[in-house]
């Protein structure tokens, strides 16, 4: 498939790569802004975002920063040599975010064992954990990052 180059200022930019990296940058911003998990405990609900301390904290903003740097790399010729490593850094951040969310789901769903005064053990109530609508951009970001990294390492 032939890609078209467009002129932006004095630079010739590949329009396909610009659209792909722009989409990944938008998905990374959406993954940070939208809630990833919906946790319910005994009638109360709580939305957990990627930048919450329970998931990634301030490190979640590195995800968006990485994909913004990759978008900037389309325009800067000097960054072309480093784009593979920027893609790899973005993929590592997405994998950490997804694995931390999976850990959070597993930790909330594991039964807590409470001891009673008689020495018998009874399982405590489960917390309800649901994926929220912010998990879709994170999943698309994971798939898009893997596809883009594989394609950039092949060329």
């Amino acid at each position: 498939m032939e890609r078209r180059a467009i002129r932006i200022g004095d630079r010739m930019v590949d329009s396909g790569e610009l659209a792909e990296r722009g989409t990944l940058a938008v998905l990374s911003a959406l993954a940070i802004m939208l809630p990833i998990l919906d946790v319910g405990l005994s009638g109360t609900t709580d939305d957990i975002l990627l930048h919450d301390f329970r998931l990634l904290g301030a490190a979640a903003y590195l995800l968006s920063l990485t994909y913004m740097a990759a978008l900037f790399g389309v325009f800067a010729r000097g960054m072309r040599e480093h784009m593979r490593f920027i893609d790899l850094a973005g993929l590592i951040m997405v994998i950490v975010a997804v694995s931390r969310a999976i850990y959070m789901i597993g930790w909330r769903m594991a039964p807590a064992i409470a001891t009673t005064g008689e020495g018998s053990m009874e399982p405590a109530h489960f917390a309800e954990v649901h994926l929220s609508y912010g998990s879709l951009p994170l999943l698309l970001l994971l798939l898009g990052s893997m596809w883009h990294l594989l394609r950039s390492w092949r060329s």
Side-chain angles (χ1 to χ4, degrees), residues 3-102:
R3 294 189 163 209
R4 289 187 44 200
I6 57 174
R7 179 176 292 281
I8 298 178
D10 61 342
R11 307 252 186 225
M12 293 299 287
V13 177
D14 184 6
S15 63
E17 186 176 6
L18 180 64
E20 290 168 2
R21 293 196 182 274
T23 303
L24 290 176
V26 168
L27 286 174
S28 69
L30 286 175
I32 292 173
M33 290 188 297
L34 299 175
I36 302 296
L37 300 174
D38 183 28
V39 178
L41 265 175
S42 65
T44 61
T45 60
D46 184 21
D47 287 337
I48 297 178
L49 287 94
L50 205 58
H51 61 269
D52 284 346
F53 180 72
R54 292 174 276 183
L55 280 180
L56 286 183
Y61 293 106
L62 289 175
L63 182 68
S64 185
L65 182 68
T66 302
Y67 286 104
M68 291 298 171
L71 181 63
F72 175 72
V74 173
F75 301 104
R77 295 190 199 283
M79 287 184 65
R80 300 306 293 160
E81 302 166 357
H82 308 291
M83 292 303 284
R84 290 181 182 155
F85 299 109
I86 293 172
D87 292 337
L88 182 64
L91 181 62
I92 288 171
M93 286 299 300
V94 171
I95 289 173
V96 167
V98 168
S99 64
R100 183 70 179 147
I102 290 172

Side-chain angles (χ1 to χ4, degrees), residues 114-130:
T115 59
T116 60
E118 301 170 3
S120 65
M121 303 180 98
E122 298 176 2
H125 296 289
F126 289 111
E128 295 180 11
V129 179
H130 305 284

